[in-house]
Coordinates of all heavy atoms in Angstrom, one line a residue:
M64 N 97.5 102.8 74.5 CA 97.4 103.7 75.7 C 96.9 102.9 76.9 O 96.0 102.1 76.7 CB 96.4 104.8 75.4 CG 96.1 105.7 76.5 SD 96.6 107.5 76.5 CE 97.2 107.8 74.9
S65 N 97.5 103.1 78.0 CA 97.1 102.3 79.2 C 95.8 102.8 79.7 O 95.3 103.9 79.5 CB 98.2 102.4 80.3 OG 98.4 103.7 80.8
A66 N 95.1 101.8 80.4 CA 93.8 102.1 81.0 C 93.8 101.8 82.5 O 94.6 101.1 83.0 CB 92.8 101.1 80.3
V67 N 92.8 102.4 83.2 CA 92.7 102.2 84.6 C 91.2 102.0 85.0 O 90.3 102.4 84.3 CB 93.2 103.4 85.4 CG1 94.7 103.7 85.2 CG2 92.4 104.7 85.1
R68 N 91.1 101.3 86.1 CA 89.8 101.2 86.7 C 90.0 101.7 88.1 O 90.8 101.1 88.9 CB 89.2 99.7 86.7 CG 87.9 99.6 87.4 CD 87.1 98.4 86.9 NE 85.8 98.3 87.6 CZ 84.7 98.7 87.1 NH1 84.6 99.3 86.0 NH2 83.6 98.5 87.8
S69 N 89.3 102.7 88.5 CA 89.4 103.4 89.8 C 88.2 103.2 90.6 O 87.1 103.4 90.2 CB 89.7 104.8 89.6 OG 90.0 105.5 90.8
H70 N 88.4 102.6 91.8 CA 87.3 102.4 92.8 C 87.5 103.4 93.9 O 88.6 103.8 94.3 CB 87.5 101.0 93.4 CG 87.5 99.9 92.3 ND1 86.4 99.1 92.1 CD2 88.5 99.4 91.6 CE1 86.7 98.3 91.1 NE2 88.0 98.4 90.8
R71 N 86.4 103.7 94.5 CA 86.4 104.5 95.8 C 85.4 103.9 96.7 O 84.3 103.6 96.3 CB 86.0 105.9 95.5 CG 86.2 106.8 96.7 CD 85.9 108.3 96.4 NE 86.1 109.0 97.6 CZ 86.7 110.2 97.7 NH1 87.1 110.8 96.6 NH2 86.8 110.9 98.8
Y72 N 85.8 103.7 97.9 CA 84.9 103.0 98.9 C 85.4 103.3 100.3 O 86.5 103.8 100.5 CB 84.8 101.5 98.7 CG 86.1 100.8 98.3 CD1 87.1 100.6 99.2 CD2 86.3 100.3 97.0 CE1 88.3 100.0 98.9 CE2 87.4 99.7 96.7 CZ 88.4 99.5 97.6 OH 89.6 98.9 97.3
S73 N 84.6 102.9 101.3 CA 85.0 103.0 102.7 C 85.2 101.5 103.2 O 84.6 100.6 102.7 CB 83.8 103.6 103.5 OG 83.6 104.9 103.1
I74 N 86.1 101.4 104.2 CA 86.4 100.2 104.9 C 86.4 100.5 106.4 O 87.1 101.4 106.8 CB 87.7 99.6 104.4 CG1 87.7 99.4 102.9 CG2 88.0 98.2 105.1 CD1 89.1 99.2 102.4
A75 N 85.7 99.7 107.2 CA 85.8 99.9 108.6 C 87.3 99.6 109.1 O 87.9 98.6 108.5 CB 84.9 98.9 109.3
D76 N 87.8 100.3 110.0 CA 89.1 100.2 110.5 C 89.4 98.7 110.9 O 90.4 98.1 110.6 CB 89.4 101.1 111.7 CG 89.5 102.5 111.2 OD1 89.7 102.8 110.0 OD2 89.4 103.4 112.1
A77 N 88.4 98.1 111.6 CA 88.5 96.7 112.0 C 88.7 95.7 110.9 O 89.2 94.6 111.1 CB 87.4 96.4 112.9
D78 N 88.2 96.1 109.7 CA 88.2 95.2 108.5 C 89.4 95.4 107.6 O 89.6 94.6 106.6 CB 86.9 95.3 107.7 CG 85.7 94.8 108.5 OD1 85.9 93.9 109.3 OD2 84.6 95.3 108.2
L79 N 90.2 96.4 107.8 CA 91.2 96.8 106.8 C 92.3 95.7 106.6 O 92.6 95.3 105.5 CB 92.0 98.1 107.3 CG 93.0 98.6 106.3 CD1 92.4 98.8 104.9 CD2 93.7 99.8 106.8
E80 N 92.8 95.1 107.7 CA 93.8 94.0 107.5 C 93.2 92.9 106.7 O 93.9 92.3 105.8 CB 94.3 93.5 108.9 CG 95.4 92.6 108.8 CD 96.0 92.2 110.1 OE1 95.8 93.0 111.1 OE2 96.6 91.1 110.2
E81 N 92.0 92.4 107.0 CA 91.4 91.3 106.2 C 91.1 91.8 104.8 O 91.3 91.0 103.9 CB 90.1 90.9 106.9 CG 89.4 89.8 106.2 CD 90.2 88.5 106.2 OE1 91.1 88.3 107.0 OE2 89.9 87.6 105.3
F82 N 90.7 93.0 104.6 CA 90.4 93.5 103.3 C 91.7 93.4 102.4 O 91.7 92.9 101.3 CB 89.9 94.9 103.3 CG 89.8 95.5 101.9 CD1 88.8 95.1 101.0 CD2 90.8 96.3 101.4 CE1 88.7 95.6 99.7 CE2 90.7 96.8 100.1 CZ 89.7 96.5 99.3
V83 N 92.8 93.9 103.0 CA 94.1 93.9 102.2 C 94.5 92.5 101.9 O 95.0 92.2 100.8 CB 95.2 94.7 103.0 CG1 96.5 94.5 102.4 CG2 94.8 96.1 103.1
A84 N 94.3 91.5 102.8 CA 94.6 90.1 102.5 C 93.7 89.6 101.4 O 94.2 88.9 100.4 CB 94.5 89.3 103.8
R85 N 92.4 89.9 101.4 CA 91.5 89.4 100.4 C 91.8 90.0 99.1 O 91.8 89.4 98.0 CB 90.1 89.6 100.8 CG 89.6 88.8 102.0 CD 88.2 89.1 102.3 NE 87.8 88.5 103.5 CZ 86.5 88.4 104.0 NH1 85.5 89.1 103.3 NH2 86.2 87.8 105.1
R86 N 92.1 91.3 99.1 CA 92.5 92.1 97.9 C 93.7 91.5 97.2 O 93.8 91.4 96.0 CB 92.6 93.5 98.2 CG 93.0 94.5 97.1 CD 93.2 95.9 97.6 NE 93.7 96.8 96.6 CZ 95.0 97.0 96.5 NH1 95.9 96.4 97.3 NH2 95.5 97.9 95.6
S87 N 94.7 91.2 98.1 CA 96.0 90.6 97.6 C 95.7 89.3 96.8 O 96.3 89.0 95.8 CB 96.9 90.4 98.7 OG 98.1 89.8 98.3
S88 N 94.8 88.5 97.4 CA 94.5 87.2 96.8 C 93.8 87.4 95.5 O 94.0 86.8 94.5 CB 93.6 86.4 97.7 OG 93.2 85.2 97.2
L89 N 92.9 88.4 95.4 CA 92.2 88.8 94.2 C 93.2 89.2 93.1 O 93.1 88.8 92.0 CB 91.1 89.8 94.4 CG 90.4 90.4 93.2 CD1 89.7 89.3 92.4 CD2 89.5 91.5 93.6
I90 N 94.1 90.1 93.5 CA 95.1 90.6 92.5 C 95.9 89.4 91.9 O 96.1 89.4 90.7 CB 96.0 91.6 93.2 CG1 95.2 92.9 93.5 CG2 97.2 92.0 92.3 CD1 95.9 93.9 94.5
A91 N 96.3 88.5 92.8 CA 97.1 87.4 92.3 C 96.3 86.5 91.3 O 96.8 86.1 90.3 CB 97.6 86.5 93.5
T92 N 95.0 86.3 91.6 CA 94.1 85.5 90.7 C 93.9 86.2 89.4 O 94.0 85.6 88.4 CB 92.8 85.2 91.4 OG1 93.0 84.4 92.6 CG2 91.8 84.4 90.5
V93 N 93.7 87.5 89.5 CA 93.5 88.3 88.2 C 94.7 88.2 87.4 O 94.6 87.9 86.2 CB 93.1 89.7 88.5 CG1 93.1 90.6 87.3 CG2 91.7 89.8 89.2
R94 N 95.9 88.4 88.0 CA 97.1 88.4 87.2 C 97.4 87.0 86.5 O 98.0 86.9 85.5 CB 98.3 88.7 88.1 CG 98.4 90.2 88.3 CD 99.6 90.6 89.0 NE 99.8 92.1 88.9 CZ 100.2 92.8 89.9 NH1 100.5 92.3 91.1 NH2 100.3 94.1 89.8
E95 N 96.9 85.9 87.2 CA 97.2 84.6 86.6 C 96.5 84.5 85.2 O 97.1 83.9 84.3 CB 96.6 83.5 87.5 CG 97.4 83.2 88.7 CD 96.8 82.2 89.6 OE1 95.9 81.5 89.2 OE2 97.3 82.1 90.8
G96 N 95.3 85.0 85.1 CA 94.6 84.9 83.8 C 94.6 86.1 82.9 O 94.2 86.1 81.8
H97 N 95.1 87.2 83.5 CA 95.1 88.5 82.8 C 96.4 89.2 83.0 O 96.4 90.2 83.9 CB 93.9 89.3 83.2 CG 92.6 88.6 82.9 ND1 91.9 88.7 81.7 CD2 91.8 87.8 83.7 CE1 90.9 88.0 81.7 NE2 90.8 87.4 82.9
P98 N 97.4 88.9 82.3 CA 98.8 89.4 82.6 C 98.9 90.9 82.2 O 99.9 91.5 82.5 CB 99.7 88.6 81.8 CG 98.9 88.0 80.7 CD 97.5 87.8 81.3
G99 N 97.9 91.5 81.6 CA 97.9 92.9 81.3 C 97.8 93.9 82.5 O 98.0 95.1 82.4
L100 N 97.5 93.3 83.7 CA 97.5 94.2 84.9 C 98.9 94.5 85.3 O 99.7 93.7 85.7 CB 96.7 93.4 86.0 CG 96.6 94.1 87.3 CD1 95.7 95.4 87.2 CD2 96.0 93.2 88.4
T101 N 99.2 95.8 85.2 CA 100.6 96.2 85.5 C 100.9 96.6 86.9 O 101.9 96.2 87.5 CB 101.0 97.4 84.6 OG1 100.1 98.5 84.8 CG2 100.9 97.0 83.1
H102 N 99.9 97.3 87.5 CA 100.1 97.6 89.0 C 98.8 98.0 89.5 O 97.9 98.5 88.8 CB 101.2 98.6 89.3 CG 101.0 99.9 88.7 ND1 101.2 100.2 87.3 CD2 100.7 101.1 89.2 CE1 101.0 101.5 87.1 NE2 100.7 102.1 88.3
V103 N 98.7 97.9 90.9 CA 97.5 98.3 91.6 C 97.9 99.1 92.8 O 98.8 98.7 93.5 CB 96.7 97.0 92.0 CG1 95.4 97.3 92.7 CG2 96.5 96.0 90.9
V104 N 97.1 100.2 93.0 CA 97.5 101.1 94.1 C 96.3 101.4 95.0 O 95.2 101.8 94.5 CB 98.0 102.5 93.5 CG1 98.4 103.4 94.7 CG2 99.2 102.2 92.6
L105 N 96.4 101.1 96.3 CA 95.4 101.4 97.3 C 95.9 102.6 98.1 O 97.0 102.6 98.7 CB 95.2 100.2 98.2 CG 94.1 100.4 99.3 CD1 92.7 100.5 98.7 CD2 94.1 99.2 100.2
I106 N 95.0 103.7 98.2 CA 95.4 104.9 98.9 C 94.3 105.2 99.9 O 93.1 105.2 99.5 CB 95.6 106.1 97.9 CG1 96.7 105.8 96.9 CG2 95.8 107.4 98.6 CD1 96.8 106.7 95.8
Q107 N 94.7 105.5 101.1 CA 93.7 106.0 102.1 C 93.7 107.6 102.0 O 94.8 108.2 102.1 CB 94.0 105.6 103.5 CG 92.9 106.1 104.5 CD 93.2 105.6 105.9 OE1 94.3 105.3 106.3 NE2 92.1 105.6 106.7
L108 N 92.6 108.1 101.7 CA 92.4 109.6 101.6 C 92.2 110.2 103.0 O 91.8 109.5 103.9 CB 91.3 109.9 100.6 CG 91.4 109.3 99.2 CD1 90.2 109.5 98.4 CD2 92.6 109.9 98.5
E109 N 92.4 111.5 103.0 CA 92.3 112.2 104.3 C 90.9 112.2 104.9 O 90.7 112.3 106.1 CB 92.8 113.7 104.2 CG 91.9 114.5 103.2 CD 92.5 115.9 103.0 OE1 93.5 116.3 103.7 OE2 92.0 116.6 102.1
D110 N 89.9 111.9 104.1 CA 88.5 111.8 104.6 C 88.2 110.4 105.1 O 87.1 110.1 105.6 CB 87.5 112.2 103.6 CG 87.4 111.3 102.4 OD1 88.1 110.3 102.3 OD2 86.5 111.6 101.5
G111 N 89.2 109.5 105.1 CA 89.0 108.1 105.6 C 88.6 107.1 104.5 O 88.6 105.9 104.8
T112 N 88.2 107.6 103.3 CA 87.8 106.7 102.2 C 89.1 106.2 101.5 O 90.2 106.7 101.8 CB 86.9 107.3 101.2 OG1 87.6 108.4 100.6 CG2 85.6 107.8 101.9
Y113 N 88.9 105.2 100.6 CA 90.0 104.7 99.9 C 89.8 104.8 98.4 O 88.7 104.7 97.9 CB 90.2 103.2 100.2 CG 90.6 103.0 101.7 CD1 89.7 103.0 102.7 CD2 92.0 102.8 102.0 CE1 90.1 102.8 104.0 CE2 92.4 102.6 103.3 CZ 91.4 102.6 104.3 OH 91.8 102.4 105.6
T114 N 90.9 105.0 97.7 CA 90.9 104.8 96.2 C 91.7 103.6 95.9 O 92.8 103.4 96.5 CB 91.4 106.1 95.4 OG1 92.7 106.3 95.8 CG2 90.5 107.3 95.7
D115 N 91.3 102.8 95.0 CA 92.0 101.6 94.6 C 92.0 101.6 93.1 O 91.0 101.4 92.4 CB 91.1 100.4 95.1 CG 91.9 99.1 95.0 OD1 93.1 99.1 94.6 OD2 91.3 98.1 95.4
T116 N 93.2 101.9 92.5 CA 93.3 102.0 91.1 C 94.1 100.9 90.5 O 95.2 100.6 90.9 CB 94.0 103.4 90.8 OG1 93.3 104.4 91.4 CG2 94.0 103.7 89.3
W117 N 93.5 100.2 89.5 CA 94.1 99.1 88.8 C 94.5 99.6 87.4 O 93.7 100.0 86.6 CB 93.0 98.0 88.7 CG 92.6 97.4 90.0 CD1 92.2 98.1 91.1 CD2 92.6 96.0 90.4 NE1 91.9 97.2 92.1 CE2 92.1 96.0 91.7 CE3 92.9 94.9 89.7 CZ2 91.9 94.7 92.4 CZ3 92.7 93.7 90.3 CH2 92.3 93.6 91.7
H118 N 95.8 99.4 87.1 CA 96.4 99.9 85.9 C 96.6 98.7 84.9 O 97.2 97.7 85.3 CB 97.7 100.6 86.1 CG 97.6 101.8 86.9 ND1 97.7 103.1 86.4 CD2 97.4 102.0 88.3 CE1 97.5 104.0 87.3 NE2 97.3 103.4 88.5
W119 N 96.1 98.9 83.7 CA 96.2 97.9 82.6 C 97.0 98.4 81.4 O 97.0 99.6 81.2 CB 94.8 97.5 82.2 CG 94.0 96.9 83.3 CD1 93.3 97.5 84.3 CD2 93.9 95.5 83.6 NE1 92.7 96.6 85.1 CE2 93.1 95.4 84.7 CE3 94.4 94.4 83.0 CZ2 92.8 94.1 85.3 CZ3 94.1 93.1 83.5 CH2 93.3 93.0 84.6
E120 N 97.6 97.5 80.7 CA 98.3 97.9 79.5 C 97.4 98.5 78.5 O 97.7 99.4 77.8 CB 99.1 96.7 78.9 CG 100.2 96.2 79.8 CD 100.9 94.9 79.3 OE1 100.5 94.4 78.2 OE2 101.8 94.5 79.9
T121 N 96.2 97.9 78.3 CA 95.2 98.3 77.3 C 93.8 98.3 77.8 O 93.5 97.5 78.8 CB 95.3 97.5 76.0 OG1 94.8 96.2 76.3 CG2 96.7 97.4 75.4
A122 N 93.0 99.1 77.2 CA 91.5 99.0 77.6 C 90.9 97.7 77.2 O 90.0 97.2 77.9 CB 90.8 100.1 76.8
E123 N 91.4 97.0 76.2 CA 90.9 95.7 75.9 C 91.2 94.7 76.9 O 90.4 93.8 77.3 CB 91.5 95.2 74.5 CG 91.0 96.0 73.3 CD 91.7 97.4 73.2 OE1 92.8 97.6 73.8 OE2 91.1 98.3 72.5
Q124 N 92.4 94.7 77.5 CA 92.8 93.8 78.6 C 91.9 94.1 79.9 O 91.5 93.2 80.5 CB 94.2 93.9 78.9 CG 95.1 93.4 77.9 CD 96.6 93.7 78.1 OE1 96.9 94.8 78.6 NE2 97.4 92.8 77.7
L125 N 91.7 95.4 80.2 CA 90.8 95.7 81.2 C 89.4 95.2 81.0 O 88.8 94.5 81.9 CB 90.7 97.2 81.4 CG 89.6 97.8 82.3 CD1 89.7 97.3 83.7 CD2 89.7 99.3 82.2
G126 N 88.9 95.3 79.8 CA 87.6 94.8 79.4 C 87.4 93.3 79.6 O 86.4 92.8 80.1
A127 N 88.5 92.6 79.2 CA 88.5 91.2 79.3 C 88.4 90.7 80.7 O 87.7 89.8 81.1 CB 89.7 90.6 78.6
A128 N 89.2 91.4 81.6 CA 89.2 91.1 83.0 C 87.8 91.4 83.6 O 87.3 90.6 84.4 CB 90.3 91.8 83.7
L129 N 87.2 92.5 83.3 CA 85.9 92.8 83.8 C 84.9 91.8 83.3 O 84.0 91.4 84.1 CB 85.5 94.2 83.3 CG 86.2 95.4 84.0 CD1 85.7 96.7 83.4 CD2 85.9 95.4 85.5
A130 N 85.0 91.3 82.1 CA 84.0 90.3 81.6 C 84.2 89.0 82.4 O 83.2 88.2 82.6 CB 84.3 90.1 80.1
A131 N 85.4 88.7 82.9 CA 85.7 87.5 83.6 C 85.4 87.6 85.1 O 85.6 86.7 85.8 CB 87.1 87.0 83.4
L132 N 85.1 88.8 85.6 CA 84.9 89.1 87.0 C 84.0 88.0 87.7 O 84.4 87.6 88.8 CB 84.3 90.5 87.2 CG 84.2 91.0 88.6 CD1 85.6 91.1 89.2 CD2 83.5 92.3 88.7
P133 N 82.9 87.5 87.1 CA 82.2 86.5 87.8 C 82.9 85.2 88.1 O 82.5 84.4 88.9 CB 81.0 86.2 86.9 CG 80.9 87.5 86.0 CD 82.3 88.0 85.9
T134 N 84.1 85.0 87.4 CA 84.8 83.8 87.7 C 85.9 83.9 88.8 O 86.6 83.0 89.1 CB 85.6 83.3 86.4 OG1 86.6 84.3 86.0 CG2 84.6 83.2 85.2
F135 N 86.0 85.1 89.4 CA 86.9 85.4 90.4 C 86.2 85.3 91.8 O 85.6 86.3 92.2 CB 87.6 86.7 90.3 CG 88.3 87.0 89.0 CD1 88.1 88.1 88.3 CD2 89.1 86.0 88.4 CE1 88.8 88.4 87.1 CE2 89.7 86.2 87.2 CZ 89.6 87.4 86.6
P136 N 86.2 84.2 92.5 CA 85.5 84.1 93.8 C 86.0 85.1 94.8 O 85.3 85.5 95.8 CB 85.7 82.7 94.2 CG 86.9 82.2 93.5 CD 86.9 83.0 92.2
E137 N 87.2 85.6 94.7 CA 87.8 86.5 95.6 C 87.2 87.9 95.6 O 87.2 88.6 96.6 CB 89.3 86.6 95.4 CG 90.1 85.4 95.6 CD 90.2 84.5 94.3 OE1 89.5 84.8 93.3 OE2 91.1 83.6 94.3
A138 N 86.6 88.3 94.4 CA 86.1 89.6 94.2 C 85.0 89.9 95.2 O 85.0 90.9 96.0 CB 85.7 89.8 92.8
P139 N 83.9 89.1 95.3 CA 82.9 89.4 96.3 C 83.3 89.3 97.7 O 82.8 90.0 98.6 CB 81.7 88.4 95.9 CG 82.4 87.3 95.1 CD 83.6 88.0 94.5
L140 N 84.3 88.4 98.0 CA 84.8 88.3 99.3 C 85.5 89.6 99.8 O 85.3 90.0 100.9 CB 85.8 87.1 99.4 CG 85.2 85.7 99.2 CD1 86.2 84.7 99.2 CD2 84.1 85.4 100.3
A141 N 86.3 90.2 98.9 CA 87.0 91.4 99.2 C 86.0 92.6 99.3 O 86.0 93.3 100.3 CB 88.0 91.7 98.2
M142 N 85.1 92.7 98.3 CA 84.2 93.8 98.3 C 83.1 93.7 99.4 O 82.5 94.8 99.7 CB 83.5 93.9 96.9 CG 84.5 94.2 95.8 SD 85.6 95.7 96.1 CE 84.3 97.0 96.0
A143 N 82.9 92.6 100.0 CA 81.9 92.5 101.1 C 82.4 93.3 102.3 O 81.6 93.6 103.1 CB 81.8 91.0 101.5
L144 N 83.7 93.6 102.3 CA 84.2 94.4 103.5 C 84.2 95.9 103.2 O 84.6 96.7 104.0 CB 85.6 94.0 103.8 CG 85.7 92.5 104.2 CD1 87.2 92.1 104.4 CD2 85.0 92.3 105.5
T145 N 83.6 96.3 102.0 CA 83.6 97.7 101.7 C 82.1 98.2 101.7 O 81.2 97.4 101.8 CB 84.1 98.0 100.2 OG1 83.2 97.4 99.3 CG2 85.5 97.4 100.0
K146 N 82.0 99.5 101.7 CA 80.6 100.1 101.6 C 80.8 101.4 100.8 O 81.8 102.0 100.7 CB 80.0 100.4 103.0 CG 80.7 101.4 103.8 CD 80.0 101.6 105.1 CE 80.7 102.7 105.9 NZ 80.0 103.1 107.1
D147 N 79.6 101.8 100.2 CA 79.6 103.0 99.4 C 80.5 103.0 98.2 O 81.2 104.0 97.9 CB 79.8 104.3 100.2 CG 78.8 104.4 101.4 OD1 77.6 104.0 101.2 OD2 79.2 104.9 102.4
A148 N 80.7 101.8 97.6 CA 81.6 101.6 96.5 C 81.1 102.2 95.2 O 80.0 102.1 94.8 CB 81.9 100.1 96.3
T149 N 82.1 102.8 94.5 CA 81.9 103.3 93.1 C 83.1 102.9 92.3 O 84.2 102.7 92.9 CB 81.7 104.9 93.1 OG1 82.9 105.5 93.6 CG2 80.5 105.3 93.9
A150 N 82.9 102.9 91.0 CA 84.0 102.5 90.1 C 83.8 103.2 88.8 O 82.7 103.4 88.3 CB 84.1 101.0 89.9
L151 N 85.0 103.7 88.2 CA 85.0 104.3 86.9 C 86.2 103.8 86.1 O 87.3 103.5 86.7 CB 85.1 105.8 87.1 CG 84.0 106.6 87.7 CD1 84.3 108.0 88.0 CD2 82.8 106.5 86.7
N152 N 86.0 103.7 84.8 CA 87.1 103.3 83.9 C 87.7 104.6 83.3 O 86.9 105.6 83.1 CB 86.7 102.4 82.8 CG 86.2 101.1 83.4 OD1 86.6 100.6 84.5 ND2 85.3 100.4 82.7
G153 N 89.0 104.6 82.9 CA 89.5 105.7 82.3 C 90.8 105.4 81.5 O 91.3 104.2 81.5
Q154 N 91.4 106.3 80.8 CA 92.6 106.2 80.1 C 93.6 107.1 80.6 O 93.3 108.3 80.9 CB 92.4 106.4 78.6 CG 91.8 105.3 77.8 CD 92.0 105.5 76.3 OE1 91.7 106.6 75.9 NE2 92.4 104.5 75.6
V155 N 94.9 106.7 80.7 CA 96.0 107.6 81.1 C 96.3 108.5 80.0 O 96.5 108.1 78.9 CB 97.2 106.7 81.6 CG1 98.4 107.6 81.9 CG2 96.8 105.8 82.7
V156 N 96.3 109.8 80.3 CA 96.6 110.8 79.2 C 98.0 111.4 79.5 O 98.6 111.9 78.5 CB 95.6 111.9 79.1 CG1 94.3 111.3 78.6 CG2 95.4 112.6 80.4
D157 N 98.5 111.3 80.7 CA 99.9 111.8 81.0 C 100.4 111.1 82.2 O 99.6 111.1 83.2 CB 99.8 113.3 81.2 CG 101.2 113.9 81.4 OD1 102.2 113.5 80.6 OD2 101.4 114.7 82.3
E158 N 101.5 110.6 82.1 CA 102.2 109.9 83.3 C 103.6 110.2 83.3 O 104.3 110.0 82.2 CB 101.9 108.4 83.2 CG 102.3 107.6 84.4 CD 101.9 106.2 84.4 OE1 101.7 105.6 83.3 OE2 101.8 105.6 85.5
R159 N 104.2 110.7 84.4 CA 105.6 111.0 84.4 C 106.3 110.3 85.5 O 105.8 110.0 86.4 CB 105.7 112.5 84.6 CG 105.1 113.3 83.4 CD 105.0 114.8 83.7 NE 104.0 115.3 82.8 CZ 104.4 116.2 81.9 NH1 105.6 116.5 81.7 NH2 103.5 116.7 81.1

């Protein structure tokens, strides 16, 4: 069963372009060492916050990537542009 890590945070309008660039670099680095990452979706919600959902083939692959997080220098660079960040892991139960 596929797994997801869903983040929610705010980004200042002035930082959005730089955040997207840093996030793109992070995604590329994660995929190099963790090919189980299938897709990543960033959505701006109507209240101005963002959800950022990372989809993985398995929960084990997600866990391995999370364990390796300290080795990704791009992660703190991207997250430095966010505020009020939260994250939750989950499993996909229905996808059409």
Side-chain angles (χ1 to χ4, degrees):
M64 174 116 4
S65 62
V67 297
R68 180 155 177 97
S69 183
H70 305 258
R71 185 173 181 143
Y72 41 71
S73 298
I74 305 166
D76 291 342
D78 292 333
L79 182 59
E80 186 175 337
E81 180 63 22
F82 172 78
V83 170
R85 292 179 187 189
R86 178 180 171 272
S87 179
S88 178
L89 173 59
I90 292 166
T92 298
V93 170
R94 282 190 168 137
E95 284 177 15
H97 300 275
L100 180 61
T101 60
H102 63 286
V103 184
V104 180
L105 180 66
I106 299 170
Q107 184 178 22
L108 301 173
E109 63 185 351
D110 67 358
T112 63
Y113 292 83
T114 61
D115 193 0
T116 307
W117 295 51
H118 295 255
W119 295 85
E120 290 175 3
T121 68
E123 292 77 19
Q124 290 170 326
L125 166 59
L129 287 176
L132 190 61
T134 68
F135 304 136
E137 298 89 347
L140 295 175
M142 294 309 291
L144 297 175
T145 70
K146 64 179 185 175
D147 302 323
T149 62
L151 293 170
N152 297 334
Q154 280 192 315
V155 175
V156 294
D157 185 43
E158 186 172 27
R159 296 168 198 251

